[in-house]
Amino acid sequence: MNPDASRLWRAPRWALSVLLACLAMVGPFSIDTYLPAFSGIAAALNATPVEMQQTLSAYLLGFAFMNLFHGALSDCFGRRPVVLIGLSVFTLASLGCAVAGSIGQLVFWRTVQGMSAGAGIVVSRAIIRDMFPPADAQRVMSQVTLFFGVAPAIAPIVGGFLFVHADWHSIFWFLTFVGAALFVSNWRLLPETLHPGLVQPFHVRALMREYWRLCTSKRFMMLVLASGIPFNGMFLYVLATPVFLGEHLQFAPTQFFWFFLCTIGGIMAGAAVSGRLAGRMSPQRQIMRGFRIMVAVSVVNIALNLFLPLSAFWALPLIGLFSFGWAMMVPVVTLLVLDQVPERRGMASSLQACIGSAANGLVAGVLVPLVMHSTVALALTSGALMMVGLVAWYGVRRSIAAQA
């Protein structure tokens, strides 16, 4: 923790949470806003469904690659410069998407978007731990998750409205405006939270050695898998929304927001509960409660998809409950990840985000095309991804308890 933290931010804590949540929401906002326009973009650019899916996977893989460096660079050059440069590149990439005239151009600019969008979410995690001790950091992390949940709920509503009343280009013009507004806000308000005494020299070989040390640490990798892979159990449905909502549930683009209201409502409620439990319940118990909820929801989801006709009345609330369980435990696991390397939290956040984003990219490019046309396959895959995280947590929970 920065010893000068109390002097760096004198406004209410919730105001910093909002600022950091706005940074964290750039990535998911860039995904959710244009999903309702998938069919329109495909028709306008003469693109196949597989090519359109690549605009998602290219974004996510670009996001994953650069996440290796955002946090490490912020350990060396400061949190503030990395955030501001990331927002500048994101704004430029959104402009490129808005004027793209072919599917190839759109995939290219989406890749650049992904490479820049991760700066906000990676560095914001490090900023939280720079500024707050553990229990307070969990509360702020939960507040960030809570506020961050508002944006993806609004994004498909905005995207659907712009697509219906203007065209798909307007969605990316809107993201250009969002990037510019966030740049101005952070340029004026965001302090530098990295203490001068904790600045790390930037040496590529030394950085790669540190990454290798973390990648070969069982505790670190199991915690990363426990926090990130269950998210894909929910994110699988987000990536499949054009088919899941448009074909299976027969939703119009302007109705996509019901799905996101359930999903993000679950995330916000889970984050609120996590914040209230900070300091009152041990991290291990809180994490297990989140997993128990996800296990129960996965079992019910598979059973209903096997034996009942698909209905939005039960399908959407179940996804929301799954999101609740994930959001209840993920702030705790994320802080455990960062505290494995207290002297290089930016690097730890980078690697965590990189692994999670690489998993997202593989889910988008490989799993979603394979399973999106069957609701039973979606439910089984979601449950399997959650189980990966549960097994990872069981592999490390005793050592975490002993460390505490």
Side-chain angles (χ1 to χ4, degrees):
M1 179 179 170
N2 190 324
D4 302 322
S6 61
R7 295 194 293 272
L8 295 177
W9 186 267
R10 297 186 181 276
R13 189 171 63 189
W14 65 264
L16 179 59
S17 299
V18 171
L19 185 66
L20 297 179
C22 288
L23 287 176
M25 67 88 179
V26 169
F29 208 82
S30 303
I31 295 171
D32 298 341
T33 309
Y34 93 124
L35 288 178
F38 243 50
S39 59
I41 298 174
L45 298 182
N46 239 356
T48 66
V50 172
E51 287 174 327
M52 284 304 302
Q53 198 67 33
Q54 297 317 304
T55 65
L56 269 177
S57 54
Y59 173 93
L60 293 168
L61 291 173
F63 190 94
F65 173 75
M66 273 308 295
N67 276 350
L68 272 177
F69 302 99
H70 292 311
L73 289 171
S74 78
D75 284 338
C76 301
F77 303 110
R79 316 300 190 204
R80 179 180 162 89
V82 174
V83 167
L84 294 178
I85 291 171
L87 289 172
S88 300
V89 176
F90 174 82
T91 303
L92 175 65
S94 300
L95 177 63
C97 291
V99 299
S102 68
I103 189 63
Q105 292 176 15
L106 183 60
V107 169
F108 170 78
W109 285 114
R110 286 286 291 168
T111 304
V112 178
Q113 252 193 341
M115 293 175 71
S116 57
I121 192 167
V122 169
V123 180
S124 65
R125 291 172 181 168
I127 290 172
I128 290 171
R129 202 58 186 89
D130 288 343
M131 296 290 287
F132 302 101
D136 287 339
Q138 183 183 334
R139 293 187 185 96
V140 175
M141 191 78 75
S142 299
Q143 288 173 349
V144 167
T145 306
L146 184 106
F147 289 123
F148 144 87
V150 175
I154 296 172
I157 302 174
V158 174
F161 178 85
L162 291 173
F163 175 58
V164 170
H165 295 282
D167 61 16
W168 69 268
H169 298 278
S170 64
I171 294 172
F172 292 105
W173 283 114
F174 173 73
L175 291 176
T176 303
F177 168 78
V178 168
L182 286 175
F183 175 86
V184 172
S185 299
N186 283 273
W187 178 69
R188 295 188 61 183
L189 300 174
L190 185 68
E192 178 52 67
T193 64
L194 179 66
H195 190 269
L198 295 176
V199 172
Q200 302 289 327
F202 185 74
H203 299 301
V204 176
R205 287 187 179 179
L207 182 63
M208 292 301 107
R209 281 198 300 269
E210 286 297 307
Y211 275 132
W212 177 251
R213 180 171 69 88
L214 287 182
C215 287
T216 54
S217 166
K218 176 186 175 182
R219 181 184 295 174
F220 181 87
M221 292 302 295
M222 291 297 101
L223 287 171
V224 169
L225 293 176
S227 67
I229 303 303
F231 171 76
N232 284 289
M234 179 269 291
F235 198 51
L236 178 80
Y237 283 95
V238 175
L239 294 170
T241 49
V243 174
F244 180 65
L245 299 182
E247 295 183 12
H248 295 309
L249 291 176
Q250 299 292 304
F251 277 17
T254 52
Q255 295 176 305
F256 279 28
F257 77 94
W258 289 111
F259 169 81
F260 290 98
L261 281 178
C262 288
T263 305
I264 305 306
I267 291 176
M268 293 176 67
V273 170
S274 179
R276 287 185 175 274
L277 293 176
R280 300 180 182 179
M281 180 183 290
S282 71
Q284 292 79 16
R285 286 184 62 199
Q286 190 170 329
I287 292 167
M288 280 309 304
R289 284 197 178 184
F291 271 116
R292 287 190 187 107
I293 292 169
M294 288 188 285
V295 169
V297 170
S298 296
V299 171
V300 172
N301 190 36
I302 292 169
L304 292 180
N305 275 282
L306 281 171
F307 301 112
L308 290 181
L310 181 65
S311 169
F313 289 105
W314 57 259
L316 300 189
L318 282 176
I319 298 171
L321 283 172
F322 187 99
S323 304
F324 174 87
W326 175 79
M328 183 178 172
M329 65 89 177
V330 78
V332 188
V333 184
T334 299
L335 290 173
L336 290 174
V337 169
L338 297 180
D339 286 345
Q340 299 307 301
V341 197
E343 73 282 3
R344 298 216 58 164
R345 291 193 177 99
M347 183 184 71
S349 181
S350 271
L351 188 55
Q352 180 191 22
C354 175
I355 294 170
S357 301
N360 292 343
L362 289 173
V363 169
V366 179
L367 282 183
V368 171
L370 290 175
V371 303
M372 64 184 178
H373 296 292
S374 166
T375 58
V376 173
L378 282 169
L380 288 169
T381 305
S382 174
L385 290 167
M386 180 277 303
M387 286 301 298
V388 172
L390 180 59
V391 170
W393 170 246
Y394 265 96
V396 78
R397 66 173 185 154
R398 288 185 179 178
S399 64
I400 294 296
Q403 184 185 34

